[in-house]
Amino acid sequence: MKRRRKGGGGANWQDTYGDMVTLLLCFFVLLYSMSTINETKWAMIVQSFKRESTSETMGTPGQGTGQEDDVKDTEQISEADVTAALNQIAMALNEYSEKNNLQQQMSITQGADYVFITFRDAVFFEGDSYVLLDSGKRMLDEVANAIAPQNELIDEMRVMGHTSQGDPSKPNNPTVDRFLASNRAATVTVYLQEKNVIDPDKLVSVGYGQWRPIAGFDTDAERAKNRRVEIMITGLNADSAETSVDKYFTIREGGAE
């Protein structure tokens, strides 16, 4: 007589299969729910991210980064403000020149958007030297005092060094000529920068050598006029300093602007 097996277990695999099918159904329902997006809510989410990104870039409300304030301040500067600043610089330097009888050593010319200052070379340097003399330092101190209150309205301050042709019949040695002019301009520029009255990025030095004369080369008096240091101060919203220099030289030499 055969024995019966204990426990059938015939339905156990059905329970497992049913659980698996249920899980698969839940999984597909989840996928379906994720594939259906409310456009309005999605737009709101995207917009919230944009606001957060803008807030981080621009700073919190009421504080800002300062860049927009700089733009606003620049836009608020009028031509009249710049002209008034240049007037103040020219007036201060003219008063100093007249008070100390320096009209022969320095001259000040004012245009619509610049102040042009010419210094006789002898008050700044000894012959063939670019070591700044005490008399030159005193003059540059006055220049620094004049520009300090107007720093924000100055676009550029260009220092230009000039030499003269020593022999009327033969141009100077280019190496000596150019280096002397450039070194003298650089010396004046460094002195002004160390006064901390104008942003260093507004200072430029240029050496022209003998090639921008204001007199001939035949006599000592003519050559002395050519040896000079010039400073052009241009105001904000003006033409570039280089353009202003070219215009000034053209006018001074009798040409049309």
Side-chain angles (χ1 to χ4, degrees), residues 174-185:
T175 301
V176 175
D177 186 58
R178 292 288 186 177
F179 272 103
L180 181 60
S182 298
N183 287 341
R184 286 179 169 180

Side-chain angles (χ1 to χ4, degrees), residues 161-174:
H162 301 269
T163 61
S164 185
Q165 185 171 313
D167 184 343
S169 62
K170 183 176 65 175
N172 297 334
N173 177 289

Side-chain angles (χ1 to χ4, degrees), residues 37-180:
I37 299 176
N38 186 300
E39 294 181 3
T40 303
K41 291 183 178 180
W42 176 255
M44 293 174 62
I45 293 172
V46 172
Q47 189 63 30
S48 68
F49 279 122
K50 286 184 178 179
R51 285 198 299 268
E52 184 176 342
S53 176
T54 303
S55 176
E56 292 176 355
T57 303
M58 301 299 294
T60 56
Q63 292 180 343
T65 61
Q67 294 178 351
E68 62 273 19
D69 295 334
D70 293 340
V71 173
K72 185 183 296 183
D73 291 342
T74 302
E75 292 175 348
Q76 289 176 349
I77 295 174
S78 67
E79 185 176 346
D81 294 332
V82 176
T83 300
L86 296 175
N87 286 339
Q88 291 296 322
I89 293 173
M91 186 182 304
L93 293 176
N94 276 314
E95 289 179 357
Y96 168 73
S97 177
E98 293 174 2
K99 182 179 179 180
N100 295 276
N101 297 317
L102 297 174
Q103 291 86 345
Q104 297 300 316
Q105 285 76 34
M106 64 182 294
S107 63
I108 299 95
T109 306
Q110 184 177 0
D113 51 14
Y114 66 83
V115 173
F116 199 98
I117 315 163
T118 300
F119 299 95
R120 288 284 296 274
D121 209 40
V123 301
F124 274 10
F125 307 102
E126 293 180 350
D128 297 329
S129 170
Y130 55 87
V131 177
L132 193 58
L133 299 174
D134 289 340
S135 56
K137 293 178 181 179
R138 287 192 292 270
M139 287 188 177
L140 291 177
D141 288 344
E142 293 302 320
V143 172
N145 291 336
I147 67 174
Q150 318 301 336
N151 174 32
E152 298 300 325
L153 297 176
I154 294 175
D155 180 63
E156 185 175 287
M157 192 167 180
R158 181 167 294 228
V159 182
M160 297 162 280
H162 301 269
T163 61
S164 185
Q165 185 171 313
D167 184 343
S169 62
K170 183 176 65 175
N172 297 334
N173 177 289
T175 301
V176 175
D177 186 58
R178 292 288 186 177
F179 272 103
L180 181 60

Side-chain angles (χ1 to χ4, degrees), residues 200-249:
D201 64 341
K202 295 181 179 182
L203 286 166
V204 177
S205 63
V206 181
Y208 286 110
Q210 69 172 81
W211 303 107
R212 293 290 181 104
I214 57 176
F217 301 123
D218 296 327
T219 66
D220 290 340
E222 288 178 330
R223 291 192 289 271
K225 290 180 180 179
N226 293 328
R227 300 185 188 102
R228 67 199 189 279
V229 172
E230 295 174 318
I231 298 177
M232 172 163 272
I233 304 169
T234 51
L236 287 177
N237 305 323
D239 291 335
S240 68
E242 187 170 357
T243 302
S244 298
V245 168
D246 290 337
K247 285 182 179 180
Y248 179 78
F249 284 159

